[in-house]
Amino acid sequence: WRGPYRGDSGYHRNDSRANDDEGHSDSTEGHDEDDEIYEGEYQGIPRADSVKADSMDGVRRKDQEELAQQYESILQECGHGKFQWTLYFVLGLALMADGVEIFVVGFVLPSAEKDMCLSEPNKGMLGLIVYLGMMVGAFVWGGLADRIGRRQTLLISLSINSVFAFFSSFVQGYSSFLFCRLASGVGIGGSIPIVFSYYSEFLAQEKRGEHLSWLCMFWMIGGIYASAMAWAIIPHYGWSFQMGSAYQFHSWRVFVLVCAFPSVAAISALSTMPESPRFYLENGKHDEAWMILKQVHDTNMRAKGCPERVFSVTTIKTVKPMDELVNMGDGAAWHAKWRINHPLLFMSGLTHCPSFSYYGLTVWFPDMIKYLQKQEYASRTKVFVKEKVEHMTFNFTLENQVHRQGQYFNDKFMNLKMRSMVFEDSLFEECYFEDITSSNTFFKNCTFIATLFYNTDLFKYRLINSRLINSTFLHNKEGCLLSDVSDENNAYMVYFVSFLGTLAVLPGNIVSALLMDKIGRLRMLAGSSVISCISCFFLSFGNSESAMIALLCLFGGISIASWNALDVLTVELYPSDKRTTAFGFLNALCKLAAVLGISIFTSFVGITKAVPILFASGALAVGSFLALKLPETRGQVLQ
């Protein structure tokens, strides 16, 4: 080791090794012990190799505990300062990119469906594909980060996200756009499991809960950024260009491009940061770990005005390596396996609960708002019966009307928009339709005699059970059959509601950060789940848009504390060599629960509010129960 040695505070390296081959005899060479029944098995006496495995396991556990205590002491000496705050903002950008990814598809769907002629099933698949990609990404990148390093894996995953997010802005077809968003989701899926594990390994015990909770705020900032950019960019339809009919680049594609900026910024900033020293120690790279810890110490001391303070660590504990197959092989007792695996089992169930409820409700809620808007819109529908109109020119917008048994002779419909118009059992004779743009408009059981359609999107599939006699369609507009009312105000409402819902978690973030180390992770998690469960019931009483928005903001502001506690608990519950693997696995389950919640909840839109709310409340109640079955990790050093 290069560095100052101070006998009173140096940490000595333990290079002692147990001789695993001691007592080996040539007489056993070529003899297969596994084929014999050990004599003591009949008396319940453990085999020698089982005792040996338990002994090795005990030695390794002791070494790991000593390393954990020493590492905590080193972090205490390094202090909390400029280095941790710099890393905080760097990793915050990566977490911000994850928050942005959740919102992108939902914001562009109303515009993208026009360009890509999306059917309802295609729209649903596009909404779910991001979660599926993130599920795969969390599992893959989480496992890889424990093998090749946190920093390197995060750089790879963010690069994949940036590249495919960029491509998705330019591709034209639905299939290629779907693939790019899937790949983009796979890339960003590594953000959450790696970011929290990475940052925690630079935090001392008394700072860990609070500062990991502060880090969660960047997910909220990502949602605000996406909402603000959508509000500022997508409605500007003039921000577009096209090359004939083959290539179109509209404003929603500019928004998709802008949403890749946080990921690109995170890559640039992360390239200046070091690898986690804890990862290096787990892989026997003590020199590299010592250099990084010294860098942390010196950076913080210089920023605090104490550049003369010397990093006193000279040696770091060495952990005895062990084959995991020996450690937890067939020789391990069932209670030992249960001790190792039961936190993962409870965490798997616990992760499902808030994810199923939160994502299910947040996607169900906008659909419910749209349903309420449609009901209110339908209540204002004007109905005309048996009207006779002759020699008239319609050159103004026709909207939200039903015409039954009407007769139209020598009328002109020119340069107008038809929104939610229905003509039933009507006669059009010698009429002229020119330059018509329509949405949710249909002609049912109508008769057209000597009528010309020129440059319209009134395709024949809008004419349901209708007869055409000596009528002609010329220069039809290319486009899609849109089922929803094209209303820019609705788009603004979606962006505004998402902005409010994301901003509403700010108070919960602040409270959870300030109290995380005071009341503990489990109390925070269980308490937030119970209060969220209660607040969820109040959604049943929301019968207006404003009431539903307020109640959803309340639910989001309360439930964020359980998310923060869950992130901190996951980091502290698993050892360093399995931390991102476990976090990635649990985060993958989280996204799977999100897909299930979204699929189930949205199927009840327009049918009942009771079932989604009961499902969400029930899941949160189960989560609060499971939280009490886990060990409290407050005040413990990282394993």
Side-chain angles (χ1 to χ4, degrees):
W1 290 98
R2 291 185 178 88
Y5 173 77
R6 295 172 64 180
D8 57 340
S9 59
Y11 300 96
H12 298 278
R13 188 182 212 162
N14 183 0
D15 285 323
S16 61
R17 292 286 186 273
N19 186 357
D20 295 343
D21 296 329
E22 189 172 324
H24 175 76
S25 172
D26 292 339
S27 64
T28 62
E29 187 173 351
H31 187 66
D32 191 353
E33 290 183 325
D34 292 337
D35 291 338
E36 267 190 22
I37 298 177
Y38 171 56
E39 184 178 353
E41 284 185 20
Y42 295 108
Q43 304 171 19
I45 301 174
R47 295 171 62 105
D49 57 353
S50 177
V51 174
K52 180 180 176 182
D54 288 342
S55 175
M56 293 174 67
D57 186 27
V59 171
R60 178 171 172 81
R61 247 195 331 266
K62 182 181 178 182
D63 287 348
Q64 287 178 325
E65 290 172 0
E66 291 178 1
L67 173 60
Q69 292 292 342
Q70 182 189 5
Y71 191 78
E72 178 64 30
S73 300
I74 295 173
L75 289 179
Q76 295 283 353
E77 180 176 345
C78 291
H80 188 94
K82 180 180 179 181
F83 183 90
Q84 282 86 354
W85 282 112
T86 303
L87 185 62
Y88 169 80
F89 287 104
V90 171
L91 296 180
L93 289 171
L95 199 58
M96 180 180 171
D98 182 275
V100 169
E101 191 75 20
I102 293 292
F103 290 93
V104 170
V105 171
F107 286 160
V108 303
L109 264 180
S111 301
E113 67 169 316
K114 301 174 185 178
D115 286 2
M116 300 181 184
C117 300
L118 301 183
S119 62
E120 287 298 325
N122 285 345
K123 287 165 60 179
M125 187 60 192
L126 193 55
L128 291 177
I129 199 68
V130 174
Y131 293 96
L132 294 174
M134 294 174 81
M135 179 180 69
V136 174
F139 186 79
V140 171
W141 303 121
L144 196 62
D146 275 332
R147 287 158 178 78
I148 69 172
R150 283 77 162 112
R151 175 181 173 274
Q152 184 175 349
T153 306
L154 187 57
L155 282 171
I156 296 172
S157 66
L158 289 173
S159 298
I160 291 175
N161 170 254
S162 301
V163 169
F164 283 98
F166 175 82
F167 283 147
S168 69
S169 177
F170 294 95
V171 296
Q172 294 293 296
Y174 166 74
S175 299
S176 53
F177 184 76
L178 187 73
F179 173 77
C180 286
R181 294 319 304 183
L182 172 65
S184 177
V186 170
I188 204 61
S191 179
I192 288 180
I194 299 176
V195 160
F196 284 101
S197 300
Y198 190 6
Y199 192 46
S200 69
E201 291 166 356
F202 285 94
L203 297 174
Q205 175 268 320
E206 73 273 8
K207 298 285 187 181
R208 194 182 309 123
E210 177 184 350
H211 286 270
L212 286 176
S213 298
W214 289 127
L215 185 63
C216 294
M217 294 187 67
F218 277 93
W219 197 93
M220 174 200 72
I221 295 172
I224 293 175
Y225 174 83
S227 303
M229 291 299 101
W231 200 340
I233 294 174
I234 295 179
H236 291 277
Y237 301 108
W239 295 8
S240 62
F241 67 87
Q242 60 186 44
M243 300 177 185
S245 60
Y247 190 89
Q248 298 178 345
F249 191 91
H250 293 142
S251 57
W252 67 268
R253 296 183 181 276
V254 178
F255 167 72
V256 172
L257 193 62
V258 168
C259 284
F261 288 174
S263 186
V264 174
I267 294 171
S268 301
L270 189 61
S271 62
T272 66
M273 303 306 297
E275 180 56 83
S276 163
R278 190 62 183 264
F279 169 77
Y280 278 147
L281 290 175
E282 291 292 338
N283 289 271
K285 298 181 179 181
H286 293 75
D287 292 350
E288 292 88 340
W290 185 86
M291 291 298 295
I292 293 171
L293 289 168
K294 184 178 185 301
Q295 176 188 348
V296 175
H297 174 274
D298 293 348
T299 300
N300 289 340
M301 292 305 109
R302 283 195 300 268
K304 293 177 181 179
C306 305
E308 72 283 352
R309 188 171 297 179
V310 178
F311 186 51
S312 64
V313 177
T314 57
T315 58
I316 303 178
K317 175 73 180 178
T318 299
V319 177
K320 179 179 177 60
M322 178 180 289
D323 187 348
E324 292 184 35
L325 295 177
V326 175
N327 184 30
M328 288 301 294
D330 293 336
W334 68 268
H335 55 81
K337 294 181 180 179
W338 169 252
R339 186 181 68 251
I340 295 296
N341 293 323
H342 91 272
L344 184 61
L345 296 175
F346 281 121
M347 286 295 291
S348 298
L350 182 57
T351 301
H352 266 74
C353 298
S355 181
F356 179 82
S357 302
Y358 179 80
Y359 286 108
L361 284 178
T362 52
V363 175
W364 166 79
F365 176 76
D367 290 342
M368 195 66 197
I369 289 291
K370 290 179 183 178
Y371 175 75
L372 293 175
Q373 288 176 338
K374 286 181 179 178
Q375 281 191 319
E376 193 273 335
Y377 188 78
S379 68
R380 295 186 282 110
T381 300
K382 296 181 180 179
V383 180
F384 301 86
V385 180
K386 295 184 178 180
E387 62 179 355
K388 294 184 179 180
V389 182
E390 298 181 353
H391 311 294
M392 182 174 177
T393 298
F394 294 87
N395 55 5
F396 47 86
T397 298
L398 297 175
E399 182 175 3
N400 200 15
Q401 299 175 7
V402 176
H403 296 260
R404 297 193 178 105
Q405 300 176 11
Q407 296 182 16
Y408 306 90
F409 178 76
N410 196 21
D411 294 321
K412 295 182 179 179
F413 299 81
M414 302 178 64
N415 193 27
L416 59 84
K417 294 181 179 179
M418 291 184 174
R419 295 176 176 173
S420 295
M421 295 291 297
V422 178
F423 294 88
E424 298 178 350
D425 303 308
S426 298
L427 172 65
F428 295 84
E429 186 173 357
E430 297 184 13
C431 292
Y432 180 66
F433 292 82
E434 179 181 351
D435 197 15
I436 306 296
T437 302
S438 63
S439 63
N440 202 28
T441 295
F442 302 96
F443 296 83
K444 301 179 180 179
N445 302 315
C446 294
T447 302
F448 297 88
I449 301 174
T451 296
L452 175 63
F453 296 86
Y454 182 84
N455 193 32
T456 73
D457 63 0
L458 300 177
F459 309 121
K460 292 185 179 181
Y461 51 75
R462 292 191 186 273
L463 280 56
I464 302 173
N465 296 326
S466 297
R467 293 191 304 158
L468 294 169
I469 303 173
N470 296 329
S471 297
T472 307
F473 289 83
L474 296 176
H475 300 287
N476 286 343
K477 289 184 177 181
E478 296 182 359
C480 310
L481 177 62
L482 302 181
S483 58
D484 294 324
V485 178
S486 176
D487 189 353
E488 293 178 12
N489 292 328
N490 288 343
Y492 277 115
M493 176 61 73
V494 171
Y495 309 145
F496 181 65
V497 169
S498 298
F499 179 84
L500 284 182
T502 309
L503 190 61
V505 307
L506 178 60
N509 254 321
I510 295 174
V511 170
S512 64
L514 296 177
L515 297 181
M516 188 69 71
D517 288 322
K518 292 182 173 61
I519 68 175
R521 288 69 164 128
L522 296 186
R523 288 181 181 178
M524 179 70 71
L525 179 57
S528 175
S529 296
V530 169
I531 300 174
S532 298
C533 176
I534 296 171
S535 69
C536 187
F537 273 113
F538 287 102
L539 286 171
S540 304
F541 303 102
N543 294 317
S544 65
E545 288 183 36
S546 56
M548 291 286 285
I549 292 170
L551 291 171
L552 188 71
C553 289
L554 175 65
F555 172 77
I558 295 172
S559 62
I560 191 62
S562 61
W563 283 107
N564 293 357
L566 197 59
D567 290 333
V568 176
L569 189 63
T570 305
V571 163
E572 296 177 335
L573 203 55
Y574 298 100
S576 297
D577 59 338
K578 300 179 180 66
R579 182 166 295 127
T580 58
T581 301
F583 209 139
F585 174 75
L586 293 173
N587 199 251
L589 291 182
C590 170
K591 297 304 185 289
L592 177 61
V595 171
L596 292 176
I598 293 169
S599 302
I600 293 172
F601 284 27
T602 53
S603 65
F604 288 96
V605 172
I607 300 176
T608 177
K609 289 193 298 183
V611 173
I613 291 172
L614 285 175
F615 278 175
S617 301
L620 291 168
V622 171
S624 62
F625 171 77
L626 291 176
L628 301 177
K629 300 294 182 180
L630 291 167
E632 176 60 74
T633 58
R634 178 180 55 157
Q636 296 182 6
V637 298
L638 281 183
Q639 297 181 51

